[in-house]
Amino acid sequence: MIVAVLVSLALAAPPPPIEDESKVPPYTLPDPLLRADGRRVAHAREWTGERRPELLRLFESHVYGRTPAAVPRPRYTVRATDRSALRGRATRREVEIAFGEGAQARRLDLLVYLPNDARGPVPVFLGLNFQGNHAVDPDPAVALARTWVAATYPGVVAHRATDAARGGEAKRWPLELVVGRGYGVATMYYGDLFPDHAQGAAESVLTLFPAARGEDAWGAVGAWAWGLGRALDYLETLPGVDARRVAVIGHSRLGKAALWAGAQDARFGMVISNESGCGGAALSKRVFGETVEAITTRFPHWFAPAFARYAGREAELPVDQHELIALVAPRPVYVASAEGDGWADPRGEFLGARHADPVYRLLGTDGLPAQEMPPVGRPVHGTIGYHVRAGGHDLTEYDWRQFLDFADRHWKR
């Protein structure tokens, strides 16, 4: 059954993206500082105490679904430690985070690198990966993913990773670069949380909770965001980690999860979204690139059922993605785009960041220091950061260098 669903999804060609600015419909964005009763937010305490919770409820109800408040008690098991990882530059730790018992148990494998030359607790970049921890680091000592992996990735046989899959995602995780700049890296396979197919809920962390029903039932993006919070729970126990300076980072669909995680959980000290597009940083009401209709048709398991109601009716959405970015305020947030990634709508991602600026200004920060979209290769760094680079949909070393500079600006002044 699962194979049939996957084949169906693979063969269903997405509709061509709308990449003509002249075809963007007129739209009106909701004001993030205007409460549902029409009163304007004028003070930081009103944002924190009233408007912010109101916006969170709207995103739960209409986009991502409601995340359960209770967290099952975790069991942490350190499965392996290597103090000479990355040619002696880092200590690598592989940790199993387990929830539940018996057949219903769920196990998440967290991979952590901390620089060996650190003189105290270090800030950490935390993000999910697409292919398994073994794909982030080609070292054969790193354990292979134990759960379902998409057959489209090299080295995957019958949806299980083999040794041929090692290092398949290493270019997206320049570990030595990050560790060399004085930061730790932590990553976890997103399929451990919710296998990325339409029937994945039955094998996901959703089974740890009473079955969610209704239009605001949570899906894969909610589960992936939840898992990032559980990884942060563990990082808070490590003496070598400065848990107040953990940057949650994600690319593409995992950029959506990073934004939703950072919006819900104020413990994340920084949020980084790389080419997250529709349901991420890009404005839905532009109906540009990937649309609500396209994303909810091809990936019905990602969002709350309610989100699909806005397919072709984006104007009726009571929220838009600039308000998601605003929910991170006043913490630093970075939005990154690629010039050749029209499907993710680079301009819509920039506008998402720009229209979050009033909330950041209200809370006493410098917001985004740009009114117009900057040229390719010209990053702008305020408390909101943004860049658009040359090339297509990917997470590159160039992107990482901007994120590291942004983190230095805020955390190493």
Side-chain angles (χ1 to χ4, degrees):
M1 178 65 176
I2 289 176
V3 173
V5 170
L6 289 172
V7 170
S8 174
L9 285 174
L11 295 178
I18 299 171
E19 296 189 38
D20 183 346
E21 284 291 332
S22 69
K23 295 182 179 179
V24 172
Y27 63 88
T28 301
L29 291 179
D31 187 336
L33 294 175
L34 196 65
R35 285 173 284 204
D37 62 7
R39 291 180 298 149
R40 175 161 292 279
V41 174
H43 302 285
R45 64 179 180 274
E46 296 171 354
W47 167 261
T48 303
E50 299 178 47
R51 181 56 174 162
R52 190 178 187 280
E54 188 174 71
L55 280 173
L56 278 171
R57 288 192 296 271
L58 287 171
F59 277 104
E60 289 175 339
S61 299
H62 299 277
V63 184
Y64 303 107
R66 195 173 303 278
T67 304
V71 176
R73 183 182 296 276
R75 300 185 303 278
Y76 301 133
T77 303
V78 179
R79 297 174 59 201
T81 300
D82 183 353
R83 292 180 172 81
S84 60
L86 305 181
R87 298 186 295 175
R89 296 179 181 179
T91 294
R92 181 177 65 225
R93 180 180 298 210
E94 295 180 79
V95 183
E96 177 185 276
I97 306 174
F99 301 94
E101 303 290 345
Q104 296 301 312
R106 292 289 173 253
R107 296 175 177 85
L108 319 176
D109 291 332
L110 181 67
L111 184 65
V112 182
Y113 296 82
L114 298 179
N116 283 334
D117 60 359
R119 298 182 178 180
V122 299
V124 171
F125 287 88
L126 166 64
L128 300 176
N129 63 71
F130 286 96
Q131 301 179 40
N133 296 342
H134 61 273
V136 170
D137 186 342
D139 189 329
V142 177
L144 293 171
R146 297 183 280 178
T147 53
W148 180 97
V149 183
T152 52
Y153 293 122
V156 176
V157 178
H159 294 295
R160 289 297 182 268
T162 71
D163 283 327
R166 294 188 180 280
E169 207 174 342
K171 286 186 177 180
R172 288 182 172 173
W173 293 88
L175 300 172
E176 290 194 35
L177 169 66
V178 180
V179 167
R181 293 278 293 263
Y183 293 87
V185 180
T187 186
M188 189 163 57
Y189 173 47
Y190 83 138
D192 285 352
L193 294 155
F194 194 120
D196 196 4
H197 57 77
Q199 310 302 318
E203 306 168 57
S204 76
V205 294
L206 272 62
T207 62
L208 297 170
F209 304 92
R213 295 181 174 84
E215 290 293 286
D216 64 351
W218 62 328
V221 173
W224 298 331
W226 180 88
L228 288 163
R230 307 295 68 78
L232 180 56
D233 293 343
Y234 175 74
L235 293 177
E236 288 182 324
T237 73
L238 286 183
V241 171
D242 183 347
R244 298 169 302 170
R245 296 187 294 167
V246 173
V248 61
I249 180 172
H251 168 63
S252 192
R253 65 199 65 181
L254 301 182
K256 309 178 203 300
L259 282 169
W260 184 225
Q264 295 179 93
D265 193 338
R267 293 179 301 163
F268 288 110
M270 181 179 292
V271 179
I272 300 170
S273 156
N274 190 72
E275 297 162 45
S276 57
C278 181
L283 298 177
S284 296
K285 295 181 189 297
R286 275 173 50 81
V287 197
F288 190 101
E290 188 170 31
T291 63
V292 174
E293 179 178 12
I295 203 168
T296 57
T297 299
R298 296 185 68 215
F299 307 108
H301 55 290
W302 284 4
F303 299 95
F307 196 42
R309 294 200 315 246
Y310 299 101
R313 300 166 53 192
E314 286 87 349
E316 298 175 24
L317 260 172
V319 289
D320 212 332
Q321 301 310 109
H322 64 301
E323 294 174 304
L324 177 67
I325 297 169
L327 286 170
V328 179
R331 293 164 289 153
V333 64
Y334 201 111
V335 174
S337 305
E339 181 185 31
D341 187 11
W343 195 238
D345 186 11
R347 182 169 295 279
E349 291 177 319
F350 168 75
L351 292 172
R354 197 190 86 182
H355 289 292
D357 177 87
V359 175
Y360 274 81
R361 302 274 177 179
L362 176 75
L363 299 182
T365 81
D366 57 352
L368 179 70
Q371 288 297 307
E372 301 297 329
M373 188 171 176
V376 172
R378 289 274 199 80
V380 289
H381 289 181
T383 307
I384 303 174
Y386 178 82
H387 76 251
V388 56
R389 61 160 171 79
H393 191 67
D394 204 354
L395 176 58
T396 70
E397 182 176 317
Y398 174 87
D399 298 312
W400 273 101
R401 290 188 181 278
Q402 312 321 308
F403 305 151
L404 288 163
D405 288 348
F406 186 70
D408 283 354
R409 181 181 191 273
H410 290 282
W411 287 344
K412 293 188 177 183
R413 289 174 176 171

